[in-house]
Amino acid sequence: MQTFQGYDALLQASPVFYDIAPEEIHAMLDCLSAKTLSYPKGSFLFHYGDHLDSLGLVVEGCVDVMKEDFWGNTNLMTRCRPGDIFGESYAIRTNCALEVSLYAEQNSTVLYLNVAKMMTLCSRACEFHNQLTRNLLSVLAERNFQLGQKLEHMTKRTTREKLLSYLSSEARRSGSLSFDIPFNRQQLADYLSVDRSAMSNELCHLRDEGLISFQKNHFTVQFPSS
């Protein structure tokens, strides 16, 4: 049987286990057939067309959710860091093949939880099982919100508008005019579905206009000088 003592703080901070006591979390991990798998940097966890029956919770490293077209062009859907989850919608719809690929951006470890057992009462009738189900529904709602935000950025007509939309939302999310984004330049271009060179040029234009400043992945949004 696997033990998960080293992940206590991360599990307690995860929205999946919100408002569930630490001792109850460990009891529930056994009920949910929890297991950890590790992946080396540059490897695929799952490919397009695979089936996933468990929710993945990243406990170490970084996992990218990517969508590729027939010619290999990549669209970065989201980046999952420790504490983030992936695959919940596909795990619920077990007959639905993945329409994305999951890629280890760094050496990564993932805790897998059986979603079917989340959605039904286990034989032990865990006291906090109802809370777990509510948490899963909240996670699905949050994921829907995140996808809506990405769609909002991508439906802007120009690279400039996409950048301003994304940077504006990141400033609001962080509650500060200065913030770090989780992408390098190529990854940001993939996320926004724009050409990297054109995006880099537009970032320089925005900087020269006094709307933003940046150093690598650290950005500051600014009001234009009068």
Side-chain angles (χ1 to χ4, degrees):
M1 180 184 298
Q2 290 191 354
T3 59
F4 308 95
Q5 297 295 332
Y7 305 131
D8 281 354
L10 186 143
L11 292 174
Q12 291 173 49
S14 170
V16 175
F17 296 109
Y18 173 75
D19 207 25
I20 298 177
E23 61 274 14
E24 295 294 337
I25 293 176
H26 282 279
M28 295 177 75
L29 290 176
D30 184 40
C31 294
L32 298 174
S33 302
K35 62 180 180 181
T36 57
L37 293 176
S38 296
Y39 304 89
K41 178 180 178 179
S43 64
F44 281 88
L45 289 65
F46 294 93
H47 290 89
Y48 179 96
D50 290 344
H51 285 79
L52 185 63
D53 63 1
S54 296
L55 171 155
L57 171 64
V58 180
V59 294
E60 295 177 5
C62 180
V63 174
D64 285 350
V65 182
M66 306 185 306
K67 196 159 190 175
E68 297 177 306
D69 64 19
F70 184 80
W71 296 273
N73 298 308
T74 300
N75 180 12
L76 178 61
M77 302 299 292
T78 188
R79 168 158 290 177
C80 301
R81 298 185 180 277
D84 294 335
I85 67 169
F86 63 81
E88 62 282 356
S89 297
Y90 290 101
I92 291 173
R93 301 177 61 199
T94 55
N95 62 337
C96 182
L98 286 174
E99 296 183 356
V100 296
S101 295
L102 297 161
Y103 175 83
E105 172 66 18
Q106 304 171 5
N107 293 334
S108 302
T109 301
V110 176
L111 172 68
Y112 289 100
L113 305 170
N114 188 293
V115 169
K117 292 185 177 181
M118 287 186 181
M119 303 300 289
T120 57
L121 286 175
C122 66
S123 58
R124 301 182 185 181
C126 298
E127 180 181 350
F128 288 91
H129 203 111
N130 286 337
Q131 181 64 44
L132 183 69
T133 302
R134 289 194 294 270
N135 291 348
L136 181 59
L137 292 174
S138 295
V139 165
L140 291 170
E142 175 63 21
R143 182 72 73 202
N144 185 60
F145 175 75
Q146 292 173 356
L147 291 174
Q149 281 191 318
K150 177 176 171 65
L151 182 61
E152 180 181 353
H153 307 325
M154 292 180 63
T155 52
K156 302 298 182 182
R157 299 185 64 179
T158 66
T159 298
R160 177 189 179 92
E161 290 174 338
K162 290 180 180 182
L163 283 168
L164 290 174
S165 176
Y166 173 72
L167 294 174
S168 176
S169 70
E170 287 297 292
R172 290 193 182 99
R173 182 187 62 79
S174 67
S176 172
L177 296 179
S178 294
F179 50 89
D180 292 330
I181 67 171
F183 306 127
N184 62 31
R185 293 294 183 268
Q186 184 59 60
Q187 292 159 347
L188 178 58
D190 290 341
Y191 179 78
L192 296 175
S193 295
V194 297
D195 177 78
R196 176 181 174 176
S197 295
M199 183 195 74
S200 295
N201 288 336
E202 195 58 60
L203 284 171
C204 291
H205 290 325
L206 292 170
R207 179 193 59 198
D208 294 343
E209 293 173 24
L211 294 176
I212 65 171
S213 61
F214 55 85
Q215 178 64 36
K216 294 186 178 180
N217 71 329
H218 183 77
F219 283 78
T220 300
V221 295
Q222 301 168 153
F223 295 104
S225 57
S226 56

